[in-house]
Amino acid sequence: MTDSGGAMTLSNAMGSATIEGTVIRVDAEGVPAIRAKRPSEAGENGATNRLVCENVAISGSTSEKYAIRVVGREGSKFRNLCVRQLGQNRDGIVFVQSDGSAVTHSQLNVTGDPIVEDQSQVRTSGVDTGGTNSCEGSPFSARTNSRASAE
């Protein structure tokens, strides 16, 4: 595979979005699980263009790049996220120009950096990067009900 936007990609035309109760597996080399591109327009009436991910499990053997990349989406939130991608040089979540974002109550098991802050300040709380988690054992990975929405 030469290039893929990702298993789930938020285009630059998409405003805020929520991904909830979802399981993603990526084994193709260098392909992100979630990629949120920089929005082309500011949110209407003061709305943000943030990404919210809750109860999401990401697994697979892919290497290189990152599991998640968020660009220009200030205030993005990740809660109860489980990332387990053990291929070489795989980062967890990369935030680019996404100040005010947060990762809470999550498990990030990757071979690269669990969280990369590129021109971003990200708040973390209850994030386990110990390297022994398995997303399949997470309470939210067994959900059969998944929802993704966008505005």
Side-chain angles (χ1 to χ4, degrees):
M1 177 170 289
T2 57
D3 188 34
S4 173
M8 297 184 86
T9 301
L10 279 65
S11 78
N12 59 0
M14 185 176 285
S16 64
T18 299
I19 302 170
E20 182 180 28
T22 302
V23 177
I24 302 169
R25 181 175 179 91
V26 180
D27 292 311
E29 293 303 312
V31 174
I34 299 172
R35 184 173 172 204
K37 296 179 180 180
R38 176 184 309 282
S40 56
E41 296 182 15
E44 293 182 20
N45 300 322
T48 67
N49 285 318
R50 72 182 184 173
L51 169 62
V52 175
C53 288
E54 188 166 1
N55 300 327
V56 174
I58 298 170
S59 63
S61 61
T62 187
S63 60
E64 303 298 327
K65 292 189 179 180
Y66 39 78
I68 300 170
R69 182 176 169 96
V70 180
V71 180
R73 293 183 177 269
E74 294 183 358
S76 291
K77 309 280 185 217
F78 292 83
R79 179 176 166 77
N80 292 334
L81 173 72
C82 180
V83 175
R84 186 170 200 267
Q85 293 200 307
L86 302 179
Q88 293 181 343
N89 302 314
R90 187 70 164 183
D91 290 334
I93 309 171
V94 176
F95 292 93
V96 180
Q97 297 176 340
S98 297
D99 278 340
S101 294
V103 182
T104 60
H105 307 290
S106 296
Q107 302 170 2
L108 304 175
N109 184 359
V110 294
T111 56
D113 295 318
I115 297 174
V116 176
E117 298 173 77
D118 181 354
Q119 300 177 49
S120 301
Q121 290 189 353
V122 178
R123 181 180 62 83
T124 61
S125 174
V127 176
D128 176 10
T129 60
T132 60
N133 71 311
S134 169
C135 292
E136 286 75 21
S138 300
F140 49 85
S141 67
R143 288 182 159 201
T144 58
N145 183 14
S146 65
R147 182 187 88 157
S149 66
E151 296 174 7

